Amino acid sequence: MSEQHGHTHRLDLDDASVREWDATVVGVDPERGIVLDRSAFYPGGGGQPPDQGVLLWGGVRTRIVGTTKGDDLYLTPHEGDPVPPAGTAVRGALDDERRTQLMRTHSGLHVLTGVVFRDFGALVTGGNMEPLSARMDFDLADVPPDFKDRVAEAVNAEIRTDRRITVSNLPRDEAFAIPDIIRTATNLLPPDIEVVRIVDIAGLDTQADGGTHVASTALIGRMEVVKMESKGRGFRRLRVRIT
């Protein structure tokens, strides 16, 4: 299913492997940024930061440092860089290393949440990621002394299993018929969303999610659980690193 936001066709959700593409500038807002008719820049959300990259046009390079969501997707140009006017044909290109690292990290966090839910019954209460590092908070009052090591061992076993990761779109009623489709303690899915994007790690985890992912757990690499912290009221924070 094609994804659209305002005037922008979301290539990032159609195919997470896209790194370069042709587009046309359909609008420029002096305060918010550049609007393209087609874009593979992930705008951020669900803990995943926005992409960075460049627009190439007429022998000029405009660096893109982020995205703002509104009625359109506005690409934020680097301060001082030239801005292509509406109607300009551009070549978009993502920072491939950053995007790939974020995809590996995001998929790794889904393996982590799948393992902690399966083995300890805990839901997610918060999280954040940067390329190859992240934190994830769980509603978990009691943990065994070897919790951190057990989680790391189980997560890396699932990663080595090379489980396929697929993305699909389902009508809201069908999506919510899937058991435990929302893995957060609070349902953050807006009530007006009629089609839900589903990320499935075969045999381990199925979640509503809007981010970008690798095609298989083997592409994640290895997850190190760096630290566990107690955040009060039974909440546990795991800090992880992808290598």
Side-chain angles (χ1 to χ4, degrees):
M1 178 179 175
S2 296
E3 299 282 348
Q4 192 84 13
H5 186 107
H7 292 91
T8 305
H9 178 77
R10 294 282 304 275
L11 299 174
D12 53 308
L13 298 184
D14 283 350
D15 181 356
S17 70
V18 172
R19 295 294 185 271
E20 296 187 21
W21 69 99
D22 293 315
T24 301
V25 177
V26 295
V28 176
D29 185 298
E31 300 297 325
R32 292 184 286 184
I34 303 161
V35 179
L36 302 181
D37 64 338
R38 305 166 75 240
S39 174
F41 285 97
Y42 181 71
Q48 181 176 336
D51 286 325
Q52 298 174 2
V54 296
L55 299 180
L56 305 175
W57 52 286
V60 177
R61 182 186 71 167
T62 301
R63 290 168 290 178
I64 300 299
V65 297
T67 307
T68 300
K69 285 183 181 178
D71 54 335
D72 267 313
L73 290 183
Y74 297 93
L75 303 181
T76 307
H78 189 280
E79 186 176 357
D81 280 10
V83 175
T88 303
V90 299
R91 180 75 173 170
L94 301 183
D95 180 332
D96 174 59
E97 182 177 17
R98 173 184 168 84
R99 159 64 87 79
T100 300
Q101 289 179 351
L102 284 168
M103 287 169 61
R104 290 171 57 202
T105 305
H106 199 165
S107 295
L109 291 179
H110 276 231
V111 175
L112 175 65
T113 58
V115 163
V116 173
F117 183 77
R118 180 194 67 193
D119 296 350
F120 300 94
L123 294 172
V124 174
T125 59
N128 189 51
M129 76 186 83
E130 294 298 331
L132 302 184
S133 67
R135 65 167 175 83
M136 190 65 74
D137 301 339
F138 295 94
D139 184 0
L140 192 61
D142 299 311
V143 296
D146 58 350
F147 174 73
K148 183 167 76 75
D149 293 336
R150 281 176 59 183
V151 168
E153 182 178 353
V155 165
N156 285 298
E158 296 297 341
I159 288 173
R160 290 192 301 271
T161 300
D162 195 13
R163 296 185 181 276
R164 186 182 179 198
I165 302 175
T166 57
V167 176
S168 60
N169 291 277
L170 292 177
R172 187 183 183 94
D173 290 346
E174 289 184 32
F176 276 86
I178 300 173
D180 306 309
I181 194 66
I182 302 296
R183 291 295 175 84
T184 52
T186 302
N187 183 356
L188 303 177
L189 196 67
D192 59 340
I193 296 293
E194 297 179 356
V195 177
V196 180
R197 189 168 182 268
I198 305 296
V199 174
D200 179 71
I201 302 178
L204 176 66
D205 183 73
T206 305
Q207 291 189 49
D209 180 78
T212 59
H213 292 269
V214 293
S216 163
T217 59
L219 298 173
I220 294 168
R222 185 178 183 280
M223 179 178 288
E224 176 186 355
V225 181
V226 179
K227 187 178 182 181
M228 184 186 77
E229 304 169 7
S230 178
K231 305 307 290 184
R233 300 191 308 278
F235 294 156
R236 311 290 172 164
R237 173 169 293 174
L238 293 179
R239 296 189 181 275
V240 302
R241 181 183 301 124
I242 302 295
T243 59

